[in-house]
């Protein structure tokens, strides 16, 4: 059986900021949101457990909310 080394974010502590690259100008400020995950999610090879707080762009947070990945507060 092979094991895969992955990074795992702990649910406690400050929110981790996910680096997201976008095509286009880097001078544009993108609004960010801090979200709490309700399900396990892997972003760019990093595993985020349920309850983890993550800072993502507002657009990505909206898409995650529609798919049910964000915990209701």
């Amino acid at each position: 059986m092979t094991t895969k080394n992955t990074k795992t974010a702990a649910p406690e502590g400050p929110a981790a900021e996910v680096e997201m690259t976008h095509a286009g100008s880097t001078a544009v400020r993108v609004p960010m949101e801090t979200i709490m995950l309700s399900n396990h999610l892997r972003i760019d090879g990093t595993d985020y457990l349920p309850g983890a707080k993550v800072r993502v762009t507002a657009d990505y947070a909206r898409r995650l909310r529609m798919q049910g990945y964000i915990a209701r507060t």
Side-chain angles (χ1 to χ4, degrees):
M1 180 173 174
T2 57
T3 58
K4 188 174 185 181
N5 291 336
T6 60
K7 299 176 274 181
T8 302
E12 296 89 25
E17 187 155 337
V18 178
E19 289 292 326
M20 300 186 74
T21 57
H22 299 285
S25 174
T26 57
V28 177
R29 305 266 302 155
V30 178
M32 301 290 283
E33 286 186 30
T34 300
I35 59 171
M36 183 182 296
L37 298 175
S38 62
N39 296 309
H40 173 268
L41 183 66
R42 178 177 287 180
I43 303 173
D44 292 331
T46 302
D47 291 325
Y48 295 95
L49 301 175
K53 291 184 179 179
V54 183
R55 279 187 57 80
V56 295
T57 62
D59 181 56
Y60 190 52
R62 180 185 56 81
R63 289 185 284 157
L64 289 174
R65 197 172 287 115
M66 288 182 356
Q67 296 174 2
Y69 278 94
I70 297 180
R72 295 182 183 180
T73 55

